[in-house]
Amino acid sequence: MKEINLKTRDILKFSFRILFTEKTYIIFFTIINIFSILVAIVFANTSIGKIKNQIFDFYVIIFINVFLFLLILRVINFFFIRKSEDKTIFIILSNTVSRMKFFLCEYLTILIIISFSVVLSFLSFNIIYLISNDFEITNFVIRKTSVFLGFTLILTICLINFIIFLIFFAGAQPTLIISTILMSLSFIANIPAKLIETKTSNINFTFNDPKNNTPFALSSNDVYDSINFQNILKYENIKYKNLSKAINNYFTNYQENEDFTDLDTFKNSNKYRYTSFWNNYLNVINNKQKNYKFNGILSSLNSSAKAKNWKENDPVSIEFTLESYFKDENEIKDMINSNELDSEKKLILQDLLDLTNQFKTYFIDFKKEKSDLFSDFIFFYEPKTIKNKIGVVDEEKEINFIKNENLNQSLPFTKIDLNNIFQWAVKKISASKDSFQLWDNDHKLEKYFDEYFSFPIMFSARVVEEYFIHYTVNYYNSVYSRIVQNDEFKKYQNNMSTINILNSINPFYDTWSFYTKYSGFYFDDIWFNIDTSSSISLIEQENLFLPYVRFNLNLDNKNIKKDTYDEYLDPAILISIILVVAICLYILSIYKFTKVDVN
């Protein structure tokens, strides 16, 4: 019988041909790609970013843990078990083909077939997204799909090597059992660590205040979130990132202003922030006086008015002057479009403008919803004593007053009075007992404030300040105060040590944490809950079945390190180790195949 010298190309063509005649493979391949296309269509037509992220992560879990796993198992079983049983391998090897050459050809066939399915899924998502979105694609889509492609190809190599190794060293039946167990565990393997993680949220840490050494408590959640918040700001993984970084840098400059280290003292720094940040830095303040006048009927009096025999229902006229005020949206747009600002300031102002538009869209009446912040950035122009040309001291006339028209008497009108009238006009909140108040049965006052006191940029500025100050104060308390290493803190450390041990021996954590770290979230949806005064969910987009990199609260001489969020084992190192192990399994499999009896 004449020997046939088969070339590598011939073996590859033969392998592809016999696989494509396998109906079960064709059916399985079709199901996988129909699934990918259907999910890609839903993904491309979902408008909410965080939902996109959740859809894609669930897709990746199902694609890898179910379809890819089964496809690899099916294809390897086809080539190395079925074709061994029907003597196909024996016939090929008997035609002067070395076992090494045959193994490499079959391995390459399997790798190409599986990789083709992965690449097809990658292309499906990107092409369908482009078609559905006027041929525009976002960085989020590119990042998610690219990490999916690279991660899945690496995992494909590891799984192929692992399953081939099991078949040669354990046999077909044990391989099927082990693979089934692994596929089942892939959905629940990360839950034990997550359950232990929840225990750490109920722990209270004790700190000593660096100013007076008095003890105070903070929950482990508040400490972790405040430090993690600095982490996402550092890497700009947040909506309105330019405005966020500017405000955070300002509030965390604790040496410049100690008022920012405590919520109570922060309230006393309104004028300082108004001047130093919003005026001097961002230039969103109109530094010119503005006079206001309106009339009304008294419904409540202060003690000074009562002493002068003013009565309820007396008609009054009110006049006051603001020393400065926030610019409106059109003025901000003009600043952005001008050549006077640098690009950094323009990006910050654009974020401020976009945030304001979000508030106005979300709230039916923005100023009504945030009326409690109205007076914080309202500053009356105060009359001053001045010298005239001949050196005589004159007093400026009273410009902030309320005048009783019946008695022809005037009394000082203060910011507190204005705030009380405003609160009643827009929200029907009663004033304090010792304060002026006006009737507004005909809604004239409400219309007046609607027209002249909307100040949407001012309200946005105060809202975003409230968002950030709670986290920056907690950050200050967490890293600048010495932590008491009591039983509660030791309990936290023990829980974290347990989590670290579980993660280090959990191959699913080692692999999947690489995907979650580098694919990330839809960062433009990471923002404060608009219905709260200061609450941002940093884990809202996390998937229950996936692990995520967590940093430990490492200490530096009894203080939590400021950059402790950077101290973790990079998943890239873990997956590199797994890849090295997979290569070793590949070498062992080749050796075993060269020795196995194929008769």
Side-chain angles (χ1 to χ4, degrees):
M1 180 177 176
K2 185 179 179 180
E3 292 184 346
I4 302 173
N5 187 15
L6 294 176
K7 297 180 180 179
T8 301
R9 182 181 59 187
D10 297 326
I11 300 174
L12 288 174
K13 287 172 65 176
F14 175 76
S15 299
F16 282 118
R17 187 161 55 247
I18 61 173
L19 180 63
F20 291 152
T21 58
E22 178 70 17
K23 291 183 179 179
T24 55
Y25 167 75
I26 299 300
I27 293 171
F28 203 78
F29 178 80
T30 304
I31 292 172
I32 291 175
N33 287 285
I34 289 175
F35 172 72
S36 296
I37 291 170
L38 291 175
V39 176
I41 292 171
V42 175
F43 174 82
N45 290 280
T46 300
S47 59
I48 302 174
K50 61 185 178 183
I51 302 298
K52 281 182 185 290
N53 185 73
Q54 291 165 351
I55 289 172
F56 193 83
D57 284 348
F58 268 116
Y59 165 78
V60 174
I61 292 172
I62 295 171
F63 181 87
I64 292 176
N65 289 345
V66 179
F67 291 121
L68 186 68
F69 211 112
L70 291 176
L71 183 61
I72 291 173
L73 200 61
R74 175 64 188 161
V75 174
I76 291 175
N77 180 76
F78 177 80
F79 282 113
F80 288 108
I81 296 178
R82 283 186 55 186
K83 293 307 164 185
S84 176
E85 292 173 351
D86 67 9
K87 303 301 180 181
T88 301
I89 292 178
F90 172 75
I91 294 170
I92 295 175
L93 292 178
S94 66
N95 284 279
T96 66
V97 176
S98 69
R99 293 192 175 207
M100 175 75 75
K101 182 177 182 179
F102 176 77
F103 182 89
L104 292 176
C105 288
E106 297 300 270
Y107 183 88
L108 188 58
T109 302
I110 295 169
L111 188 59
I112 292 173
I113 289 294
I114 305 301
S115 299
F116 178 70
S117 296
V118 175
V119 172
L120 202 58
S121 297
F122 167 80
L123 293 175
S124 296
F125 271 87
N126 285 278
I127 292 172
I128 291 174
Y129 191 90
L130 283 168
I131 294 172
S132 302
N133 293 272
D134 299 325
F135 291 93
E136 292 183 357
I137 195 165
T138 64
N139 290 333
F140 165 75
V141 176
I142 295 172
R143 170 167 39 86
K144 293 295 283 192
T145 56
S146 298
V147 172
F148 159 74
L149 177 64
F151 172 70
T152 310
L153 290 177
I154 293 172
L155 210 56
T156 295
I157 294 171
C158 295
L159 284 173
I160 290 173
N161 293 356
F162 177 68
I163 293 174
I164 291 176
F165 172 83
L166 283 179
I167 286 175
F168 289 149
F169 283 87
Q173 285 302 114
T175 298
L176 182 61
I177 294 171
I178 293 171
S179 298
T180 303
I181 293 172
L182 288 176
M183 190 168 65
S184 302
L185 287 176
S186 63
F187 287 96
I188 61 172
N190 298 300
I191 292 179
K194 286 181 179 287
L195 292 176
I196 298 173
E197 201 173 291
T198 58
K199 294 182 180 180
T200 64
S201 62
N202 298 321
I203 295 176
N204 285 324
F205 296 150
T206 302
F207 294 87
N208 288 323
D209 193 318
K211 301 171 188 174
N212 50 31
N213 207 36
T214 56
F216 65 92
L218 274 178
S219 74
S220 56
N221 263 6
D222 286 341
V223 172
Y224 190 93
D225 286 349
S226 67
I227 296 174
N228 195 27
F229 186 63
Q230 296 302 313
N231 180 32
I232 67 171
L233 288 170
K234 177 181 178 180
Y235 295 102
E236 299 184 350
N237 296 332
I238 192 171
K239 193 175 186 179
Y240 308 121
K241 60 185 179 182
N242 303 292
L243 176 63
S244 297
K245 286 193 72 172
I247 291 180
N248 184 73
N249 291 341
Y250 179 68
F251 281 171
T252 54
N253 187 7
Y254 304 115
Q255 294 178 339
E256 184 73 22
N257 195 319
E258 288 192 0
D259 286 343
F260 299 161
T261 64
D262 183 84
L263 291 178
D264 291 329
T265 56
F266 175 79
K267 296 175 183 177
N268 300 323
S269 67
N270 290 344
K271 187 61 182 288
Y272 176 81
R273 302 192 316 274
Y274 179 87
T275 303
S276 64
F277 185 76
W278 300 108
N279 184 34
N280 296 345
Y281 181 66
L282 286 186
N283 192 29
V284 293
I285 307 298
N286 269 320
N287 288 295
K288 53 186 178 182
Q289 300 170 22
K290 191 170 185 178
N291 186 252
Y292 293 88
K293 297 178 182 180
F294 60 89
N295 302 315
I297 305 297
L298 285 173
S299 63
S300 177
L301 309 173
N302 64 15
S303 55
S304 298
K306 291 175 183 177
K308 288 184 173 292
N309 295 319
W310 289 27
K311 304 295 182 184
E312 292 183 7
N313 296 315
D314 280 353
V316 292
S317 59
I318 296 172
E319 185 173 342
F320 61 93
T321 301
L322 299 184
E323 67 172 15
S324 58
Y325 53 93
F326 271 80
K327 295 178 180 178
D328 61 31
E329 292 154 288
N330 289 328
E331 290 174 302
I332 301 294
K333 289 177 183 177
D334 290 340
M335 291 173 64
I336 294 172
N337 295 328
S338 72
N339 296 321
E340 298 176 2
L341 290 180
D342 58 50
S343 58
E344 179 183 347
K345 295 281 181 65
K346 288 183 179 182
L347 291 172
I348 295 171
L349 291 180
Q350 187 61 56
D351 279 353
L352 179 60
L353 201 59
D354 292 341
L355 177 61
T356 302
N357 289 331
Q358 181 187 359
F359 286 139
K360 291 172 67 177
T361 301
Y362 185 82
F363 295 117
I364 296 175
D365 189 339
F366 182 25
K367 72 178 182 308
K368 179 178 179 180
E369 291 294 332
K370 300 299 178 181
S371 62
D372 57 312
L373 304 175
F374 168 72
S375 64
D376 294 344
F377 282 159
I378 294 293
F379 302 103
F380 279 14
Y381 175 74
E382 301 295 338
K384 300 178 180 66
T385 57
I386 56 175
K387 287 185 178 182
N388 60 23
K389 293 181 180 180
I390 60 173
V392 178
V393 175
D394 292 332
E395 293 284 343
E396 283 188 333
K397 68 174 183 177
E398 182 69 45
I399 58 172
N400 304 316
F401 62 85
I402 178 171
K403 181 180 180 181
N404 188 312
E405 298 295 344
N406 287 345
L407 301 178
N408 197 27
Q409 294 177 347
S410 296
L411 289 173
F413 185 73
T414 67
K415 184 170 77 170
I416 296 175
D417 296 322
L418 174 63
N419 186 51
N420 287 330
I421 293 173
F422 175 85
Q423 299 296 336
W424 176 255
V426 303
K427 211 168 183 177
K428 297 299 180 282
I429 297 176
S430 299
S432 59
K433 292 183 179 180
D434 190 30
S435 176
F436 287 115
Q437 189 56 275
L438 304 180
W439 295 110
D440 190 32
N441 296 331
D442 54 3
H443 299 288
K444 285 185 178 180
L445 275 178
E446 183 179 1
K447 293 175 182 176
Y448 179 84
F449 284 113
D450 280 341
E451 184 174 356
Y452 297 106
F453 276 88
S454 289
F455 292 151
I457 300 296
M458 181 189 77
F459 281 107
S460 293
R462 279 297 295 120
V463 170
V464 79
E465 282 189 342
E466 289 298 308
Y467 281 168
F468 277 77
I469 191 60
H470 292 271
Y471 285 88
T472 56
V473 167
N474 279 345
Y475 176 68
Y476 172 83
N477 289 329
S478 298
V479 300
Y480 287 92
S481 304
R482 291 198 169 188
I483 191 167
V484 178
Q485 299 182 47
N486 53 18
D487 291 341
E488 288 293 285
F489 182 71
K490 291 176 181 177
K491 178 182 176 183
Y492 174 85
Q493 287 185 315
N494 290 335
N495 286 341
M496 292 304 298
S497 295
T498 303
I499 292 172
N500 290 335
I501 292 171
L502 285 174
N503 289 340
S504 64
I505 62 176
N506 183 354
F508 297 99
Y509 173 85
D510 296 343
T511 52
W512 281 101
S513 59
F514 176 87
Y515 167 76
T516 55
K517 172 176 171 54
Y518 290 100
S519 70
F521 302 116
Y522 191 87
F523 298 124
D524 282 344
D525 271 2
I526 296 180
W527 188 245
F528 296 84
N529 186 335
I530 201 168
D531 289 315
T532 65
S533 59
S534 179
S535 175
I536 182 171
S537 176
L538 304 178
I539 61 172
E540 183 181 16
Q541 297 183 42
E542 290 188 0
N543 190 297
L544 177 64
F545 301 107
L546 292 177
Y548 296 85
V549 172
R550 296 282 189 260
F551 58 84
N552 293 330
L553 299 178
N554 297 324
L555 301 185
D556 180 15
N557 191 23
K558 295 185 179 181
N559 287 72
I560 297 174
K561 293 182 178 180
K562 297 177 185 177
D563 59 350
T564 188
Y565 49 74
D566 281 333
E567 297 185 355
Y568 59 87
L569 183 60
D570 194 327
I573 297 174
L574 299 173
I575 205 164
S576 297
I577 294 172
I578 291 174
L579 193 56
V580 170
V581 172
I583 293 171
C584 294
L585 295 180
Y586 172 78
I587 295 170
L588 289 172
S589 298
I590 292 177
Y591 173 80
K592 183 69 173 178
F593 185 74
T594 60
K595 303 297 183 181
V596 71
D597 183 9
V598 295
N599 291 327

